[in-house]
Amino acid sequence: MRVANFNGGPGALPLEVLEEAARDMLDWRGSGMSVMENSHRGKEVIAMMAEAEADLKALLGLDEEWAVIFCQGGASLQFAMIALNFAGPGGHCDYINTGLWATKAYKEAKICGAKPRLAASSEDDDFTYIPEVFDFDPEAKYVYLTANNTVRGTQWSTFPKAPAPLIADMSSEFLSRSIDLSRFALIYAGAQKNVGPAGLTVVALRREMADRARLDVPNMLSYPVYIKHQSMYNTPPVWSVYVAGLTCKWIRNTIGGLKAMTELNQAKAETLYRAIDDSGGFYRGTAKSSSRSLMNVTFRLPRVELNDKFKKESAGTGLVGLGGHRSVGGLRASLYNAVTLADVQTLVEFMAEFKRKNG
Ligand SMILES: *Cc1c(COP(=O)(O)O)cnc(C)c1O
């Protein structure tokens, strides 16, 4: 039996995508083998990768000025790649610290020898909000932010006008809403939150930005190398790209595109936040209302023991993954693209019942 999966990551994948992958498993496109067993130098896999790239670009509304590449090493490897390619030893770069993943990216830039600086931070209020005032370094090579804060449940609604190229970690909101990417120079996402299996990181960057990359970077960490070799400098994560490609087609054909996906995700989040706000204080959202995330809804119960009880009992009814991130505790429902409105309604009903029994 399939459960309602509210995991923070890896997260839920669309049933239709999993079914199609299952149908293809033993004999992909008449090759008599799975896509994983095909040569990545064969024309079928090359075509599949090119198709996934084109579908991603189309969904994101990116033109020829942009390249989409497929990396490995998770979102976390991008923390280093960005600093190595665009800052380098002693290079200035600005970070906006909105939580765990931004902090890690900032620290990684230091390890890489760059000179990262905080242009803003919401640590003063336990990362419950998105900053609105910035102190940008005019010498920074780039400005870095985390678009959606998976752990704290906050999300940017309007992005800052930065004096340097803007880079965003979009891991936990990738393809979840229409975004005007004209302000950005590079965005990236670990696939396992919203588009596919772990092992793949999708990076979209302006070719102009890639031209600024330093040349003293190892091949596997160099953006220009990925672009030059169509993400096939070495063996790419073919399976993960294949599933991400199916997810793109699902967004386009089954959901109706990114605009429809946005509306659906808004409806899901509104349903859950309304249940929290209308609970008379029994459920309490942890993020400031104006900074709330559409993807990761973080909340708490009046007593710590109740959080644990909630987690246990919800899991017992097939609502899984509702525990908060291990660094903050509490509760979190991740409403990634594949989580349905019906799943959210079932959760809201469970919450009402739980409140009736424990309130
Ligand atoms: C999960 C997550 C990461 C880390 O992803 P890995 O692929 O495990 O390295 C980074 N940033 C954000 C916003 C995330 O949600």
Side-chain angles (χ1 to χ4, degrees), residues 73-76 79 101 146 148 150 169 171-172 190 192-193:
S76 299
F79 303 164
W101 298 114
T146 310
N148 181 69
T150 328
D169 175 356
S171 294
S172 50
Q192 73 273 17
K193 305 284 161 70

Side-chain angles (χ1 to χ4, degrees), residues 308-331:
D308 294 334
K309 191 164 184 229
F310 183 98
K311 262 186 280 185
K312 211 163 139 217
E313 291 183 9
S314 56
T317 70
L319 302 165
V320 309
L322 290 163
H325 188 270
R326 59 198 151 84
S327 64
V328 293
L331 299 164

Side-chain angles (χ1 to χ4, degrees), residues 119-139:
S121 168
S122 53
E123 194 171 10
D124 57 355
D125 201 2
D126 210 18
F127 298 118
T128 52
Y129 70 100
I130 297 292
E132 285 173 12
V133 182
F134 312 100
D135 171 23
F136 291 119
D137 175 356
E139 284 185 42

Side-chain angles (χ1 to χ4, degrees), residues 213-242:
R214 298 171 58 86
L215 299 174
D216 60 352
V217 174
N219 282 312
M220 285 302 293
L221 301 175
S222 161
Y223 292 112
V225 168
Y226 280 84
I227 294 175
K228 183 168 170 223
H229 295 271
Q230 281 89 41
S231 308
M232 292 204 204
Y233 177 76
N234 74 332
T235 316
V238 172
W239 166 255
S240 299
V241 174
Y242 157 80

Side-chain angles (χ1 to χ4, degrees), residues 25-358:
M25 183 59 83
L26 302 183
D27 183 7
W28 176 68
R29 293 190 181 173
S31 65
M33 51 185 151
S34 73
V35 64
M36 285 178 272
E37 299 164 289
N38 270 260
S39 165
H40 61 291
R41 305 290 175 199
K43 67 179 191 316
E44 283 292 326
V45 169
I46 291 175
M48 180 278 288
M49 300 259 302
E51 212 173 299
E53 184 188 322
D55 285 347
L56 280 161
K57 281 179 101 169
L59 276 177
L60 295 168
L62 300 177
D63 60 19
E64 278 316 298
E65 287 176 24
W66 289 77
V68 168
I69 56 171
F70 301 118
C71 299
Q72 304 190 47
S76 299
L77 188 61
Q78 295 302 309
F79 303 164
M81 275 179 75
I82 288 161
L84 291 171
N85 279 266
F86 303 121
H92 288 218
C93 40
D94 268 345
Y95 282 73
I96 300 175
N97 190 9
T98 49
L100 177 82
W101 298 114
T103 306
K104 286 197 174 196
Y106 169 81
K107 287 186 177 161
E108 195 78 351
K110 271 195 180 159
I111 293 173
C112 293
K115 274 216 158 58
R117 197 176 141 278
L118 290 180
S121 168
S122 53
E123 194 171 10
D124 57 355
D125 201 2
D126 210 18
F127 298 118
T128 52
Y129 70 100
I130 297 292
E132 285 173 12
V133 182
F134 312 100
D135 171 23
F136 291 119
D137 175 356
E139 284 185 42
K141 299 274 206 320
Y142 60 83
V143 173
Y144 180 102
L145 61 82
T146 310
N148 181 69
N149 297 283
T150 328
V151 175
R152 301 290 181 161
T154 62
Q155 186 173 30
W156 291 77
S157 45
T158 25
F159 293 100
K161 265 212 169 72
L166 189 58
I167 293 181
D169 175 356
M170 297 204 172
S171 294
S172 50
E173 69 151 71
F174 194 56
L175 302 180
S176 70
R177 57 172 175 162
S178 315
I179 290 182
D180 174 10
L181 292 175
S182 61
R183 276 194 193 179
F184 293 91
L186 183 156
I187 63 165
Y188 72 90
Q192 73 273 17
K193 305 284 161 70
N194 223 2
V195 273
L200 166 68
T201 308
V202 179
V203 181
L205 74 165
R206 287 182 191 274
R207 294 181 190 280
E208 185 191 84
M209 188 67 181
D211 290 342
R212 297 188 194 195
R214 298 171 58 86
L215 299 174
D216 60 352
V217 174
N219 282 312
M220 285 302 293
L221 301 175
S222 161
Y223 292 112
V225 168
Y226 280 84
I227 294 175
K228 183 168 170 223
H229 295 271
Q230 281 89 41
S231 308
M232 292 204 204
Y233 177 76
N234 74 332
T235 316
V238 172
W239 166 255
S240 299
V241 174
Y242 157 80
V243 177
L246 294 183
T247 303
C248 287
K249 290 192 198 316
W250 175 82
I251 293 174
R252 190 180 64 214
N253 302 333
T254 306
I255 301 296
L258 208 47
K259 201 161 162 283
M261 192 78 253
T262 310
E263 282 159 19
L264 183 56
N265 284 329
Q266 277 164 346
K268 282 151 51 183
E270 267 163 34
T271 303
L272 185 47
Y273 283 122
R274 200 177 320 120
I276 291 168
D277 293 341
D278 291 352
S279 70
F282 185 68
Y283 297 105
R284 269 170 299 161
T286 58
K288 296 258 153 63
S289 307
S290 56
S291 299
R292 281 175 163 178
S293 166
L294 297 181
M295 287 282 101
N296 307 99
V297 177
T298 50
F299 57 104
R300 286 179 190 284
L301 284 160
R303 294 189 308 281
V304 179
E305 328 78 80
L306 278 183
N307 289 332
D308 294 334
K309 191 164 184 229
F310 183 98
K311 262 186 280 185
K312 211 163 139 217
E313 291 183 9
S314 56
T317 70
L319 302 165
V320 309
L322 290 163
H325 188 270
R326 59 198 151 84
S327 64
V328 293
L331 299 164
R332 172 179 63 178
S334 295
L335 309 182
Y336 296 135
N337 287 349
V339 174
T340 64
L341 185 56
D343 290 338
V344 178
Q345 277 153 352
T346 309
L347 170 59
V348 164
E349 280 158 30
F350 172 84
M351 287 166 72
E353 182 64 13
F354 188 86
K355 183 185 166 215
R356 202 181 55 76
K357 288 192 193 136
N358 300 281

